[in-house]
Amino acid sequence: MLLSCCIFLCAGCGQASSETVFSNAYDIYDTSKKYQLISPDDTSLQNTEPFFAESYCVSDGQNIGTESTSSYVAEASGVFNLNTKEVTYAQNIYQKMYPASTTKILTAYLALKYGDLDSVITVSENAADQAHDSSVCNIKAGDRLTLRQLLYGLIMQSGNDAAIAIAEGISGSVDAFADLMNQEARALGALDSHFINPNGLHDKDHYTTVYDLYILFQAAIQEDAFLELIRTKEYTVDYLDAAGMPVQQLWKSTNKYLMGTETAPSGVSVIGGKTGTTNDAGYCLALLSENAEKETVISIVMKADCRNNLYYYMNELLYGFSGNQTK
């Protein structure tokens, strides 16, 4: 009996090895050389493959610098120096948080990646049907706007209606767009996030972290069109309504730094960013700034307890980036 089992197993192994062919077989030795997991014989193979996170600021998750700031006014925050690739300030950067409208950073990124800015999108009833207290850019069902115009409404006016119109225009439905959001977030390395909608309206299954939001923001700012969106103070939009009649609106940024109602510390220039507010998310802000040495930084505050403290705390974070020695 034992002999027959051995014969069967040997025959099975022999058949698999002779007949099974993998077209994309993984060569463990060759690939390990490329990634320097083993020492290659040919030194020319060294450093030929980029590491996944080589352009990211990397952190072990420990809090940094919170004892010298008013960190108690928010639940999570971080400062990420894009030149030195360092996390220079950290407060619970891997903690699960609700992103509110900072979600729209990812929405804009996907629209720029997969959409045609000059394509015309007709606003659906679903997109126009927003709660009376929702942040909107006042577009109506049947309105016809370009994707470019909707993106200004999304980022500047923080329009939840624009977010739905963009999602439907790119993917056909909100659910399909949410699938794309999660797919792209994972591809970028934002592994502690999950998205349900393109606008950030509260859902217990719609969440991110400060670190993941930094990753998504860093990806978005690689697009010149995104940089233009976040640095624009005012935008006049002209489009046609359902009856073909012309409509004109003036949209203004929700970013108090851009609008001049909040001043960054001396030596820091705020390029732009995205705000976000819901009852569950608190007050959130993601910023891109530059100091006198032309270093760029992404600074993020999530779940501040009020709008005034959001900007006060953000200024403390920016002060640490300014190079000033005294306040």
Side-chain angles (χ1 to χ4, degrees):
M1 182 175 179
L2 179 60
L3 178 61
S4 62
C5 289
C6 291
I7 293 172
F8 174 78
L9 290 173
C10 290
C13 292
Q15 184 177 10
S17 62
S18 62
E19 295 183 3
T20 304
V21 177
F22 297 98
S23 60
N24 59 342
Y26 179 83
D27 187 328
I28 187 171
Y29 296 106
D30 180 59
T31 307
S32 295
K33 287 179 182 179
K34 287 183 179 179
Y35 287 97
Q36 302 177 65
L37 301 178
I38 62 175
S39 178
D41 299 326
D42 183 356
T43 57
S44 65
L45 291 175
Q46 295 184 11
N47 301 318
T48 58
E49 297 294 328
F51 292 105
F52 177 77
E54 68 175 1
S55 63
Y56 288 175
C57 304
V58 179
S59 169
D60 60 4
Q62 296 296 312
N63 288 350
I64 304 171
T66 54
E67 68 284 348
S68 60
T69 65
S70 306
S71 58
Y72 55 85
V73 305
E75 287 199 7
S77 57
V79 178
F80 307 87
N81 188 310
L82 305 189
N83 292 80
T84 64
K85 298 182 176 62
E86 293 177 300
V87 180
T88 59
Y89 185 94
Q91 176 196 11
N92 304 325
I93 63 172
Y94 294 129
Q95 180 175 307
K96 175 181 171 181
M97 304 296 297
Y98 296 123
S101 285
T102 59
T103 298
K104 292 164 184 168
I105 292 171
L106 177 56
T107 300
Y109 170 72
L110 295 178
L112 292 171
K113 183 174 182 178
Y114 292 104
D116 176 359
L117 289 175
D118 296 320
S119 64
V120 176
I121 295 174
T122 300
V123 179
S124 69
E125 292 282 356
N126 183 47
D129 184 20
Q130 300 296 313
H132 72 279
D133 58 346
S134 182
S135 175
V136 295
C137 50
N138 295 311
I139 51 179
K140 311 298 182 185
D143 288 349
R144 298 189 292 274
L145 298 89
T146 65
L147 177 59
R148 187 191 310 274
Q149 292 172 325
L150 287 170
L151 282 169
Y152 278 103
L154 176 82
I155 296 298
M156 296 179 61
Q157 197 80 3
S158 201
N160 294 330
D161 45 3
I164 299 297
I166 290 170
E168 293 175 340
I170 296 296
S171 298
S173 71
V174 169
D175 287 345
F177 190 78
D179 287 342
L180 181 63
M181 295 173 77
N182 290 315
Q183 173 186 317
E184 290 288 329
R186 287 192 297 271
L188 289 168
L191 304 180
D192 295 318
S193 298
H194 187 261
F195 301 98
I196 297 294
N197 58 61
N199 48 33
L201 288 178
H202 180 69
D203 187 294
K204 64 181 179 62
D205 292 323
H206 186 101
Y207 54 84
T208 189
T209 67
V210 165
Y211 189 78
D212 279 7
L213 186 57
Y214 143 70
I215 288 175
L216 301 177
F217 198 12
Q218 178 167 298
I221 63 175
Q222 307 310 309
E223 301 285 345
D224 290 340
F226 182 83
L227 290 173
E228 183 60 29
L229 289 171
I230 64 172
R231 62 163 47 108
T232 301
K233 299 177 183 178
E234 295 185 353
Y235 181 76
T236 300
V237 57
D238 293 282
Y239 57 93
L240 299 178
D241 66 12
M245 298 300 294
V247 179
Q248 184 178 90
Q249 289 198 64
L250 176 64
W251 291 333
K252 296 183 179 182
S253 173
T254 60
N255 189 324
K256 294 178 72 173
Y257 289 109
L258 289 187
M259 301 310 293
T261 54
E262 190 65 54
T263 303
S266 174
V268 176
S269 299
V270 173
I271 297 170
K274 186 70 196 78
T275 58
T277 308
T278 66
N279 289 335
D280 294 278
Y283 293 84
C284 306
L285 179 59
L287 281 184
L288 178 68
S289 307
E290 184 179 78
N291 65 12
E293 285 71 43
K294 300 302 180 182
E295 292 180 315
T296 52
V297 68
I298 289 174
S299 53
I300 296 170
V301 173
M302 302 192 79
K303 204 170 186 179
D305 54 14
C306 69
R307 182 171 282 107
N308 285 341
N309 280 343
L310 170 68
Y311 283 91
Y312 180 82
Y313 184 33
M314 180 61 81
N315 270 350
E316 288 186 328
L317 302 188
L318 292 177
Y319 172 79
F321 172 65
S322 67
N324 296 321
Q325 297 301 311
T326 58
K327 292 186 178 180

